[in-house]
């Protein structure tokens, strides 16, 4: 019996020793794991940790620009991790649909790649009690001219050539105008299939503003959210245009850079700078930095220079605005609206943009946005 008691005691001490060793190992694993987290995970955690939820709660409905949809998705993920009491539902139906939903009081805020027109500001006053809708520049991004031409990995175009392609004046990839810009490329005898947006789109508005400004003799249309040129293929949303180009050899289309993935080529633009400019977040930020604030009061709408020849400045750049009431926001959604907009305008919120093919708003402008958001009522 004594021997049995000694054996049981030895087994117990052995189990405790193993348990202690495992516990120490587990502690060591936690330390190692936390120190070896990827930078993206660390930045996401840091961003979430700095988010102020305040009294935000409930469902926040928003709609608009599909151009910023990928950015909104990333922001929503971080924000809702920190503010579990808020559900953000952003549809991304297009800038035109978003502005309409806002002026009809269906959403708390809208995203638009074009600033509000005077008649839209007037319409917003019916839902912004004692106030009106204002434009808050929140995310910038290059509009890529993406193409799918077998055997052509690098392509340079200028404004005139792009205008003629999308207006049906240049119809074949071995056209002399394209050859002149790409003397070393093996351009095929292949029909060009231009794709444009079928829905009202701020991307279309900004793309055609570029053509109007940089190729006025070749693009005679007035511009706007609706596509005006005849012919070509059409698709809904930036994702639809990207998919159409991806599936069609000989196709070309315009879309935000974040959609120009998976085998699509991206045109470099001959702007007259020392070298053709590639679509990039850095190039877009450089272009926006030269923009002028033309809005009045708390409105911060911008005027871009689509004819820039500055080295590295990408000319086909859009700015997406979040549109909200300066005064008269609904009491039920105001806390969540301010909390979400405050986060996406913050250093942390803007900091994730370059990593997902968008461009942050330059400091001189985004600082004004933060002040304006703080005063929303």
């Amino acid at each position: 019996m004594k021997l049995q008691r000694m054996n049981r005691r030895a087994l117990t001490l052995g189990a405790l020793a193993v348990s202690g060793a495992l516990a120490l190992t587990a502690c060591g694993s936690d330390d190692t794991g936390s120190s070896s987290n990827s930078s993206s995970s660390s930045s996401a955690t840091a961003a979430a940790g700095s988010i102020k939820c305040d009294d935000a709660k409930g469902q926040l409905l928003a709609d608009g620009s599909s151009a910023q949809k990928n950015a909104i998705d990333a922001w929503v993920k971080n924000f809702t991790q920190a503010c579990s009491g808020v559900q953000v539902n952003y549809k991304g139906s297009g800038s035109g649909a978003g502005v309409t939903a806002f002026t009809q009081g269906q959403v708390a805020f809208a995203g638009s790649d074009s600033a509000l027109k005077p008649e839209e500001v007037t319409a917003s006053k019916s839902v912004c009690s004692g106030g009106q809708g204002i434009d808050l520049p929140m995310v910038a991004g290059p509009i890529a001219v993406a193409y799918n031409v077998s055997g052509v990995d690098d392509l340079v175009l200028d404004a005139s050539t792009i205008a003629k392609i999308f207006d049906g004046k240049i119809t074949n990839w071995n056209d002399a105008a394209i050859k002149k810009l790409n003397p070393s490329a093996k351009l095929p005898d292949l029909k060009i299939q231009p794709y444009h947006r079928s829905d009202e789109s701020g991307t279309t508005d900004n793309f055609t503003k570029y053509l109007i400004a940089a190729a006025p003799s070749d693009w005679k249309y007035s511009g706007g959210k609706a596509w005006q040129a005849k012919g070509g293929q059409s698709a809904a949303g930036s994702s639809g245009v990207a998919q159409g180009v991806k599936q069609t050899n000989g196709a070309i289309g315009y879309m935000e850079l974040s959609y120009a993935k998976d085998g699509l080529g991206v045109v470099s633009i001959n702007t007259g700078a020392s070298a053709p400019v590639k679509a990039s977040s850095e190039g877009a930020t450089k272009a926006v930095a030269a923009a002028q604030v033309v809005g009045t009061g708390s409105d911060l709408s911008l005027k871009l220079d689509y004819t820039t020849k500055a080295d590295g400045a990408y000319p086909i750049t859009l700015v997406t605005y979040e549109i909200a009431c300066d005064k008269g926001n609904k009491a039920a959604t105001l806390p969540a609206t301010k909390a979400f907009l405050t986060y996406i305008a913050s250093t942390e919120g803007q900091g994730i943009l370059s990593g997902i093919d968008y461009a942050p708003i330059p400091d001189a402008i985004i600082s004004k946005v933060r002040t304006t958001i703080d005063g929303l009522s």
Side-chain angles (χ1 to χ4, degrees), residues 33-376:
S34 62
S35 64
S36 63
N37 282 342
S38 68
S39 59
S40 60
S41 296
S42 298
S43 61
T45 302
S50 64
I51 294 171
K52 296 181 180 179
C53 305
D54 295 327
D55 298 322
K57 59 183 178 181
Q59 188 176 50
L60 192 61
L61 298 179
D63 196 2
S65 165
S66 65
Q68 70 167 352
K69 183 65 165 60
N70 292 336
I72 288 283
D73 287 348
W75 281 330
V76 167
K77 180 180 179 181
N78 280 349
F79 181 78
T80 53
Q81 282 178 347
C83 305
S84 57
V86 183
Q87 180 184 354
V88 182
N89 184 351
Y90 182 85
K91 291 183 180 180
S93 303
S95 296
V99 172
T100 298
F102 178 76
T103 56
Q104 292 180 350
Q106 299 171 359
V107 294
F109 72 91
S112 177
D113 307 320
S114 302
L116 290 169
K117 296 177 181 178
E119 61 270 24
E120 292 169 337
V121 173
T122 300
S124 72
K125 293 179 180 180
S126 64
V127 295
C128 301
S129 179
Q132 65 181 46
I134 56 171
D135 301 289
L136 301 171
M138 198 67 74
V139 56
I143 300 175
V145 181
Y147 66 95
N148 176 8
V149 181
S150 297
V152 180
D153 297 324
D154 294 298
L155 187 67
V156 175
L157 297 175
D158 58 16
S160 174
T161 308
I162 294 171
K164 291 175 182 176
I165 286 172
F166 281 90
D167 198 24
K169 302 293 174 53
I170 292 178
T171 59
N172 201 289
W173 280 108
N174 64 359
D175 187 274
I178 303 177
K179 283 183 176 180
K180 185 177 180 181
L181 291 163
N182 301 273
S184 61
K186 294 181 179 180
L187 297 166
D189 181 7
L190 178 67
K191 181 182 177 181
I192 298 175
Q193 305 250 22
Y195 272 79
H196 60 266
R197 289 280 289 272
S198 60
D199 52 325
E200 286 203 353
S201 159
T203 309
T204 294
D205 191 14
N206 284 273
F207 179 62
T208 54
K209 280 179 180 176
Y210 162 72
L211 297 178
I212 291 167
S217 61
D218 300 304
W219 193 260
K220 300 295 187 180
Y221 304 96
S222 61
K225 292 187 180 78
W227 183 256
Q228 296 172 324
K230 306 298 180 184
Q233 309 292 327
S234 65
S238 294
S239 58
V241 172
Q243 189 65 26
V245 175
K246 207 174 294 184
Q247 294 175 345
T248 309
N249 187 29
I252 187 170
Y254 58 92
M255 66 201 72
E256 291 68 42
L257 182 59
S258 63
Y259 291 91
K261 303 286 187 182
D262 303 328
L264 291 182
V266 176
V267 171
S268 294
I269 308 298
N270 183 341
T271 64
S274 61
V277 184
K278 295 182 179 294
S280 69
S281 298
E282 295 78 14
T285 297
K286 190 167 185 177
V288 175
Q292 296 177 319
V293 176
V294 294
T296 58
S298 54
D299 185 90
L300 296 172
S301 55
L302 304 175
K303 181 180 180 180
L304 300 173
D305 179 8
Y306 296 100
T307 62
T308 179
K309 294 182 180 179
D311 286 345
Y314 186 75
I316 321 177
T317 295
L318 62 76
V319 171
T320 300
Y321 301 94
E322 310 311 331
I323 296 170
C325 297
D326 57 354
K327 299 176 183 177
N329 287 277
K330 294 178 181 177
T333 56
L334 177 59
T337 299
K338 289 185 71 170
F340 183 67
L341 294 182
T342 296
Y343 161 60
I344 68 178
S346 70
T347 301
E348 293 80 9
Q350 292 287 299
I352 72 172
L353 293 176
S354 295
I356 51 176
D357 292 321
Y358 291 96
I361 300 298
D363 289 342
I365 299 172
I366 200 67
S367 61
K368 296 177 181 178
V369 172
R370 292 168 186 153
T371 300
T372 303
I373 292 170
D374 189 54
L376 298 182

